[in-house]
Structure formats: structure tokens, C-alpha cells
């Protein structure tokens, strides 16, 4: 999982010619992932460099995930089951 900037690199051009990319990566293997199963990567704010700094975070609690919520009122819509 990752948080922060969606595009950690840009060419820093102005006037509508700026290019963004996700060229920066963090690599791990299965052994590392099993040892740090709650880890995530934070892409920090762009500063002096054209790349955003990357900081690994080693959490002790699982990250909360947004849960899907189903409202009863949707069943009252005649087209709900067609969806």
C-alpha cells in the first residue's frame, strides 16, 4: 500500500507542459513482506528534487479500509436489480 502523492515524479515544466509519472518504486521480496506485513510506503511532498522522497512506514496496526455500505433504500428502486 502507499499514501501521499499519486505521481512521485514530474518534469517541473510550466504552462501546461508538465509531465507526471509513477516511475519511482519500492521493491521487496516475500520474506521481507512476511516480516513487515503492515508496512506501507509514503510518497512525501515534492521539494528541491523532481522526485518525491519515499519513506517506508512500519505500522503496528492494520490500515483501516473503507467498507462498502448498502442502503436499504436502493432495494426500493425498480432498476436496482438490473445493475
Amino acid at each position: 500500500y502507499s499514501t501521499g502523492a499519486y505521481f512521485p515524479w514530474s518534469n517541473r515544466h510550466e504552462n501546461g507542459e508538465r509531465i507526471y509519472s509513477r516511475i519511482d518504486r519500492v521493491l521487496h521480496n516475500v520474506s521481507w513482506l512476511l516480516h513487515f506485513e503492515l508496512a506501507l510506503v509514503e510518497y512525501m511532498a515534492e521539494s528541491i528534487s523532481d522526485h518525491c522522497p519515499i519513506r517506508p512506514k512500519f505500522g503496528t496496526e492494520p490500515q483501516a479500509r473503507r467498507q462498502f455500505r448498502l442502503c436499504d433504500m436502493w432495494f426500493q428502486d425498480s432498476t436496482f436489480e438490473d445493475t
Side-chain angles (χ1 to χ4, degrees):
Y1 297 105
S2 66
T3 63
Y6 186 77
F7 295 107
W9 177 87
S10 80
N11 64 357
R12 302 185 123 195
H13 290 190
E14 298 297 329
N15 301 324
E17 296 184 14
R18 183 172 272 205
I19 298 171
Y20 294 96
S21 180
R22 291 185 58 91
I23 62 175
D24 297 320
R25 302 280 189 247
V26 173
L27 301 176
H28 59 80
N29 61 23
V30 173
S31 177
W32 190 93
L33 186 59
L34 290 173
H35 189 72
F36 299 107
E37 63 186 36
L38 300 177
L40 60 86
V41 173
E42 178 183 11
Y43 290 98
M44 300 167 65
E46 182 180 324
S47 60
I48 297 170
S49 173
D50 56 352
H51 294 265
C52 293
I54 300 173
R55 176 172 54 186
K57 297 180 94 177
F58 304 96
T60 57
E61 297 292 326
Q63 295 295 311
R65 294 186 185 196
R66 295 185 69 176
Q67 294 182 350
F68 174 77
R69 299 191 187 270
L70 179 66
C71 295
D72 291 341
M73 62 158 198
W74 291 341
F75 290 108
Q76 297 172 6
D77 186 318
S78 62
T79 62
F80 175 75
E81 291 186 23
D82 296 336
T83 305

